Each structure stands twice: as C-alpha cells, then as structure tokens.
Amino acid sequence: VATRAGIVVTGTEVLTGRVSDRNGPWLAEQLRVFGVDVAQVVVVGDRRDDLRSALAFLAGSGVDLILTTGGLGPTADDLTAEIVAEFQGRPMALDSELEEHIAAIVARLSAGRGWRTDPEATAAATRKQAFVPDGASVLRPVGTAPGLVVPVADGHTGPAVVVLPGPPRELQGMWRAALDDRVVQAALAGRQELRQSTIRLWGTPESELAATLRENQSRLASLEITTCLRDGELEIVTRFAPAAQPAYDHLEAVLAETYADTIFSTDGQTIDDVVAEAMLARGLTIATAESCTAGLIAGRLADRPGSSAYLLGGLVTYSNQAKHDLLGVPAELIESVGAVSAEVAAAMADSARTRLGADIGIGITGIAGPGGGTADKPVGLVHLCVSNNEASLARRIRLPGNRADVRTRAVVVALHLLRELLDR
Amino acid sequence: VATRAGIVVTGTEVLTGRVSDRNGPWLAEQLRVFGVDVAQVVVVGDRRDDLRSALAFLAGSGVDLILTTGGLGPTADDLTAEIVAEFQGRPMALDSELEEHIAAIVARLSAGRGWRTDPEATAAATRKQAFVPDGASVLRPVGTAPGLVVPVADGHTGPAVVVLPGPPRELQGMWRAALDDRVVQAALAGRQELRQSTIRLWGTPESELAATLRENQSRLASLEITTCLRDGELEIVTRFAPAAQPAYDHLEAVLAETYADTIFSTDGQTIDDVVAEAMLARGLTIATAESCTAGLIAGRLADRPGSSAYLLGGLVTYSNQAKHDLLGVPAELIESVGAVSAEVAAAMADSARTRLGADIGIGITGIAGPGGGTADKPVGLVHLCVSNNEASLARRIRLPGNRADVRTRAVVVALHLLRELLDR
C-alpha cells in the first residue's frame, strides 16, 4: 500500500477562483518526489464548519498525513491553527518565545517598508499568530506566520496535520523543516519511491492511443497511466513503483514503435524545450511575423532564460497597413488573395527572416474571431509558414474554440511546424 | 440557509499540478451569479476509490447539488460516468442515438484535421462515450463527450450529480443546458441572490486599505470582503445579500473618497478594458516596441475582440541589432547609455509610433533575468515609455519575482502608464 497524504487548501479567494492555487500542485510534486502519493486536494473557504469537515474527510479516507495551506494570518478570518488544534484534541496556548520572535520580524518589516503602523493593532496581530496548539512543533516563520506540525492528542487517533502558510514563498521556505520534523518522518516512514515519466505526441488522436493501451492492457497493469489532450498535444504521464520499471519500458517501446512519427518527447521536455535546444545546438537564430497571435509566439520563444541566443525579434503586423509598411507585403497580394492566405503567411515568414537577418522566419496570419469570419475563411482558420533560406513548410489549419483558444493553439502549431523544419 | 453546491474536479494531471484547474473557479463564479454558494472543491486523481469517496464526502456534507468535471474521455482512465452511475444507484446503458451523434462528430473532426484514424479504435472510443447512467439526462456534446445530469435512483437519497467534461471550452459550452435541466432547477429552487462587486486600485499598499477597513468595521459587518494583491493591482471583492446593499454603498463611498487617486475600476472592469474603451471612445491607435516582454504587451492588447480598431502592430526588438535595424535606435545611444535605459525606452516608443503611423507608442526595455543583471542594472529593472505626438510618460521600475513575474508585471505597469496618458 502506498503512503498517502491529503491536502486542505483554505481561502475564499481560492475557492471562488480569484486566486489560483499554487500550493496544492507544488506540495503534490514535492511529496511525489519524496515517495508519497497525494490522494485528494480539498479547497474550502474561510469557514469553520467547512474546514472541519475537510479534515474529517481526509482523516476518514485513511491518509497517513494531512497538510493544510493558508489561514494563518493575523485577521479574524484566519482560522486554521485553531480548527486543527480542536480537531487533534489539543488546546491552544500562547508561545511567548514565538510571540517575541514574530514581534521582531514585524518590527523589521515595518521599518524596511516605511509603513505607518498602529502599535496596539500590531501587538494584537502578533499575539494571535503566537497562539499554537499545545504539544505542536513550531516551524520557524519565513514571513510572519509560523508553520505547525500537530500530532493527535493522547486518546485520539488519526493522522498528524502539518499546518503551512498560504503565500507560496513562505510555504516553500519552510518545507524542508516540515519534512525533517520527527512526527512527519514517522508518519511517512513506509514510503516507497514513485517514478513518473512523461511522453508527448503531436498528431495522434486520443482514441488511437486508447486502442493501443487496451491491446497491451495485460502487460501494463502495474502502471498508472493518464492521458491528457492539451492544446492539441497528447500527453501520457505514467506513475509507477520501481518494481514496475520493466512494464514501463515495455510501454515506452510500444509507443515508440507505434507512434514513431508523432512522438516528440519521451523525457518530459515540452515543445518549447525541444525547439529551443535544437536551435541552440545548431546556433540558429529566429525572427517572427505575427498577425492574429500578435506577439504571442515571440513572447513564448522568449519565455526561456537565455533565449536571446536564438530569438532576434519580430514584427506584429496586425493591420494590413503594417503588413505592408513593416514587412513589405505588397498591397496587391493582400488584395488578391486576402491577408489570411498561404501566400501572405509565406511572405511574412520570409520578410521577418530577411529584415532581422535571422536563419529562420515564422509567419502567422489567421482569423481569431469572434468576428471577421466568412464562409470561405471561417473563424479559426490560420495560415502558418516557417522558412529558412532553403526550404519552407506551410500549414493551413482550422482551429476550434474561442478567440483565446485559437490564438494559443496557433502558437503551438507554429512551434511544431518549427520543430519539423529543424528535424529535416 | 444558503443553497450550496460541491464540485469534484477529476484528473491526475490536475491533482499533480501538471494542469491547473480552470473549471472549479469558473463553475464557482457561474454558480454564485446564479445564487448558489460553492462549499468545497475536491480534486481527485483518476482512481475509482478516490472519486467515490469525494462524492460521498460532498453528499454527506449536505450540498444541494454536486458537479463533476473531467474523466469523460475515451480512455480507460476516464471513469466518471461509471462511478457516478454506481453512486446514484443506476446501471450504465448504451444510448444508441448518442452513439450515432458522437460518431458523426468524430468523423467530421477527423476529416477537418486530416488525421489518419483506425475505424475500429474510433468505434470503440465512440461506444464507450455513449454509455450513460440509465435515467440520466444527456447534455449534447460540445466536443465528443456528452454531459450528464444524474438524479439518485428511487430508494436512494442524496443530491443530483451534474457530470461535465474537462476541457473548459466543452464544459462552458454546455453550462446553459445544464442550468436549464429540470432536475438541476429543482435542486437549486431555494437559491437567493448573492451580489458581488469588485473595486480595483493601483498604487495603494494593502496595509493602508486594511486600516481603512478596520476603521469602518462596524458599518461593514454584513459584507464579505476579500482583498487580493495581484500583479501590483489591489483587488477588493465584496459579496453580500441584497439587504446589505446600503453597507456596500457606504464601503464604495469611503473607498472613492480615500483612494480617489488610485481607484481605476469600480465596476469590475480590468485595466485592459479601461484602456481599450478609452482608445475606442477617442478613435486612437497604438503601436508597441518591446524588448524584455518580447510581444506580450502587443499580444495582450490584441486579447479583446475588435482590437484591430486600435492596435496597428508592433516591433519585438529583442537583440540590440533589431533595435537598430527595425526601430532606428542609434547604436551609439545603446552603447553610451545601455539598451535598458530611459533614453532607449523613449526612442522605442517614438519609433513604434512613427513607423506604424499610430497615435500612441509604447516602449519597454528591461532585464527579465535570471542572468544579465549588474549592480547598476539589476534583474527586474525595467524602463517604460508611453508617448503621443505631444507628451510622453516614462517610468523606471524595479520588479520583484522570477523571469515570468517580471515580464508579466512589466506589461501591467505599461497598461497603467498608458491609462495615465489617456486620462490627461
């Protein structure tokens, strides 16, 4: 049986989607590397009953450890320490040493930021954060909130609870100390390595992959395989115990043989990594010309540190006038075949390349919608071209979804077209 | 008592953080507008027992409706329909009409993408997706997966379960049909309006706002106020029952008086909306020149439908050579003051404006890191300039965070600088 943990993410702002949770995924990945499987993540608002029932649910589902994030601040809606104490059967008590420690941190922070602070309000806030469950270990604050490791009180049963602050920087800063805590070590003593591998395909429908997996079912039973279609890429993530390595090797061999043409990554590399490393390895430079994506492909090529080694720059030619003025695409060409056409995409790629003196040019022109579509050229139609001074690859594609989907997907198609050119 | 719903988000890729969940937050917001409060969001992997226990937890916590997202695809790890059927006490049955409908969709999709498909695999995948719980209502597929509304079988008790697909586009596309379903209508019959208002500030520290809220505490008790600092903008979201409207009006008046200089939106408009509408109202056009952001500001200006009315285009001048070749920034200027300087930002803004014939130009140059910083010009230093033919506004700012943070924040600073110029 695997060692498992459950996570409670608190905060009305997370529950209502105004802030997206970064802690649950971060903790899940840290725990996986450590050999612990995350069973569930429960997101609750800042309400006593909901927090209580989330703890009861995870304890009842038999996890070996519960982790909570958030709700440790100085305001009245920060309830986590108090509810966890009650849940574990421990009274809250003032930790005077901790109170002094937090007061010193707050004083230093306020001075550094030049904040005007009300001494009475500050003292009250500090004292609230220094109340901890009796018998808990305190994890030294990274911000002003301490973390806690709270074992069950004598006479109770259930997993220990690790209480962590909400700001990702603070949570991550005390993670090492949490793992080193002796109660946490004891809870996770039975853990076993859990391996994870990712294979990515471009151009294989999910239904075909499903058939391949079904045919090989009997040899893959010891693997946890999940497949996910994202922006047109098919991602296969497999998690397995070390003993199942031969089954995984079999899976990899089957996929490599069946999908030789569509596999583009077997080691977790993204398409961004693949094209960047190919350009770096060969010392190639690139320039872009974008209409509907309006800067998104250039922006994405610049995501990686050190991208100045290959990305020279680009042109965003949103208007037809800009296509003419910046790229020299003849007005007559646009008039005769339209701005969204293979001819204009090719002219954009070539012109970006020559105007910036790059080895490779990318041209993208399309109809992102929601307006502007016609029967001939519907919303979602995108023409792409990637060229160097010897060859060019063009694609005409009709992408589904809304304006944002079409633009994001067009960028992914362009990256794969670029990979194809680099592979030649 | 409020009408409440619980959400189960399925998918190992979400649980392990490879994909961030967009559906839970989206559904929470839709339900809120509809008068339904979301109690919990539970994220589980693609495992039978975990999915079962998440359903049992939500049913046991007394919610009026459960919604699930994901796990409706054609592969074996897509379990949701089957587990929900079992949970509600209903057998699975083949819906032949649905099978034909999905087959027609798949055929059309495959043809459009030019994919080679294996007819047998396609038929098996189609058939799997056409198995639905007996007595459930089917929500017409947007992609290939149908949604389901599954009431409890006779003799069982508990909330109905709405089963929705994982891809946000598909989920959102069938939301209206789900709300119109008569079982859903009955479950949510007791709902009461819950209002939500958002006020946004730029340039006020969170601690000052906290003090203002404390001073007015007694008059704001009937409001649920959450504040959130995001990309430098301070967002105040208030939720309240209709009876608390006078309290909200008081809050808005206090904030309007105290923060007259920093409030930029009281009706939920984003900074993108504010600048777009100002440009549209005055018929102004804009062009960009970007170094460290490399297309992100142009890409963001093009996010809104109809942005071609104001965005003409832009130049991504990542290399110094491109700054010279595309923008005519003199090499001597770059040599004497450096590419990251007020002078170069101003030259970029002016040149973008004149080369594209736009009314307004934006120039951004900075050090996104992690490399490239010096003592004088550290990582995070960004120079921005926004100009028209009469005036220019410049800003030098040092942004915190990693490479992605610096680039995103620089875009937000540019949008606020643009607003300032438009406000003059």
Side-chain angles (χ1 to χ4, degrees), chain A residues 4 18 37-38 41 43 47 50 208 230 237 239 294 298-299 302-303 307 312-314 316 318-319 401 403 407, chain B residues 4 16 18 37 41 43 47 50 116-118 169 226 230 237 294 298-299 302-303 312-314 316 318-319 403 407:
Chain A
R4 301 180 94 201
R18 291 198 303 285
D37 208 17
V38 170
V41 177
V43 184
R47 295 173 188 141
D50 292 345
E208 298 223 348
R230 181 164 42 173
V237 177
R239 291 148 58 98
D303 276 349
S307 48
L312 299 185
V316 178
Y318 209 56
S319 67
R403 181 175 178 85
R407 297 173 73 216
Chain B
R4 301 180 95 201
T16 56
R18 293 197 304 282
D37 208 17
V41 177
V43 183
R47 295 175 186 136
D50 292 344
R116 58 180 173 89
T117 51
D118 167 1
R169 188 180 67 87
T226 51
R230 183 163 39 176
V237 177
D303 276 350
L312 299 185
V316 177
Y318 208 57
S319 66
R403 180 175 179 87
R407 297 173 73 216

Side-chain angles (χ1 to χ4, degrees), chain A residues 10-30:
Chain A
T10 72
T12 302
E13 71 279 12
V14 177
L15 186 63
T16 56
R18 291 198 303 285
V19 171
S20 76
D21 174 44
R22 288 163 54 193
N23 293 325
W26 190 87
L27 286 173
E29 177 58 17
Q30 295 301 313

Side-chain angles (χ1 to χ4, degrees), chain A residues 301-327:
Chain A
L301 287 169
D303 276 349
R304 276 172 57 114
S307 48
S308 54
Y310 44 88
L311 176 64
L312 299 185
L315 301 125
V316 178
T317 54
Y318 209 56
S319 67
N320 287 346
Q321 189 67 39
K323 288 179 187 70
H324 176 266
D325 293 353
L326 297 184
L327 288 167

Side-chain angles (χ1 to χ4, degrees), chain A residues 75-91:
Chain A
T75 55
D77 59 342
D78 292 305
L79 303 163
T80 310
E82 185 192 333
I83 301 290
V84 168
E86 176 199 295
F87 187 76
Q88 298 293 66
R90 296 181 175 278

Side-chain angles (χ1 to χ4, degrees), chain B residues 4 67 124 134 143 156 179 210 230 247 286 302 355 383 403 415:
Chain B
R4 301 180 95 201
L67 301 99
D134 190 40
H156 290 62
L179 276 188
R230 183 163 39 176
I286 190 163
R355 298 213 168 197
H383 279 277
R403 180 175 179 87
L415 290 171

Side-chain angles (χ1 to χ4, degrees), chain B residues 59-78:
Chain B
S61 78
V63 297
D64 301 285
L65 187 70
I66 295 175
L67 301 99
T68 72
T69 75
L72 295 181
T75 53
D77 60 335
D78 292 305

Side-chain angles (χ1 to χ4, degrees), chain A residues 4 12-22 24-26 28-29 32 37-47 49-50 53-54 57 61 77 115-116 118 121 196 198 200 203-211 213-215 217 224-230 232 235 237 239 258-259 261-262 288 290 292-300 302-309 311-319 321-322 325-326 355-356 369-371 398 400-403 405 407 409, chain B residues 4 12-22 24-26 28-29 32 37-47 49-50 53-54 57 61 73-78 106 112-113 115-118 120-122 124-125 169 172 196 198 205 207-208 211-212 214-215 224-228 230 235 237 239 259 288 290-300 302-309 311-319 321-322 325-326 355-357 369-371 403 405 407:
Chain A
R4 301 180 94 201
T12 302
E13 71 279 12
V14 177
L15 186 63
T16 56
R18 291 198 303 285
V19 171
S20 76
D21 174 44
R22 288 163 54 193
W26 190 87
E29 177 58 17
R32 186 194 64 75
D37 208 17
V38 170
Q40 291 101 352
V41 177
V42 184
V43 184
V44 295
D46 301 308
R47 295 173 188 141
D49 286 348
D50 292 345
S53 70
F57 163 54
S61 77
D77 59 342
W115 284 349
R116 60 184 169 88
D118 169 0
Q196 177 171 308
T198 303
R200 296 193 166 94
T204 291
E206 202 173 5
S207 57
E208 298 223 348
L209 177 66
L213 294 177
R214 247 192 329 269
E215 281 158 27
Q217 215 161 13
E224 185 189 347
I225 304 172
T226 52
T227 65
C228 166
L229 191 62
R230 181 164 42 173
E235 190 176 85
V237 177
R239 291 148 58 98
T258 317
Y259 302 112
D261 294 346
T262 59
T288 60
E290 307 179 64
C292 60
T293 51
L296 298 184
I297 179 81
R300 185 149 163 183
D303 276 349
R304 276 172 57 114
S307 48
S308 54
L311 176 64
L312 299 185
L315 301 125
V316 178
T317 54
Y318 209 56
S319 67
Q321 189 67 39
D325 293 353
L326 297 184
R355 298 215 167 195
L356 281 121
R398 169 117 188 249
N402 62 22
R403 181 175 178 85
D405 295 330
R407 297 173 73 216
R409 284 285 295 274
Chain B
R4 301 180 95 201
T12 301
E13 71 278 12
V14 177
L15 186 63
T16 56
R18 293 197 304 282
V19 172
S20 77
D21 174 45
R22 287 164 54 194
W26 190 87
E29 176 59 17
R32 186 198 62 72
D37 208 17
V38 170
Q40 291 102 351
V41 177
V42 184
V43 183
V44 296
D46 301 306
R47 295 175 186 136
D49 286 347
D50 292 344
S53 70
F57 164 55
S61 78
T75 53
D77 60 335
D78 292 305
V106 171
R113 293 177 191 169
W115 282 353
R116 58 180 173 89
T117 51
D118 167 1
E120 214 168 298
T122 305
R169 188 180 67 87
Q172 293 173 20
Q196 177 170 308
T198 302
S207 57
E208 293 209 2
T212 303
R214 248 194 327 272
E215 281 157 27
E224 185 187 347
I225 303 172
T226 51
T227 64
C228 166
R230 183 163 39 176
E235 191 177 84
V237 177
R239 290 148 59 98
Y259 302 112
T288 60
E290 306 179 64
S291 182
C292 60
T293 51
L296 297 184
I297 179 81
R300 187 150 163 182
D303 276 350
R304 275 173 58 113
S307 49
S308 55
L311 176 64
L312 299 185
L315 301 125
V316 177
T317 54
Y318 208 57
S319 66
Q321 189 67 40
D325 294 352
L326 297 184
R355 298 213 168 197
L356 281 121
R403 180 175 179 87
D405 295 330
R407 297 173 73 216

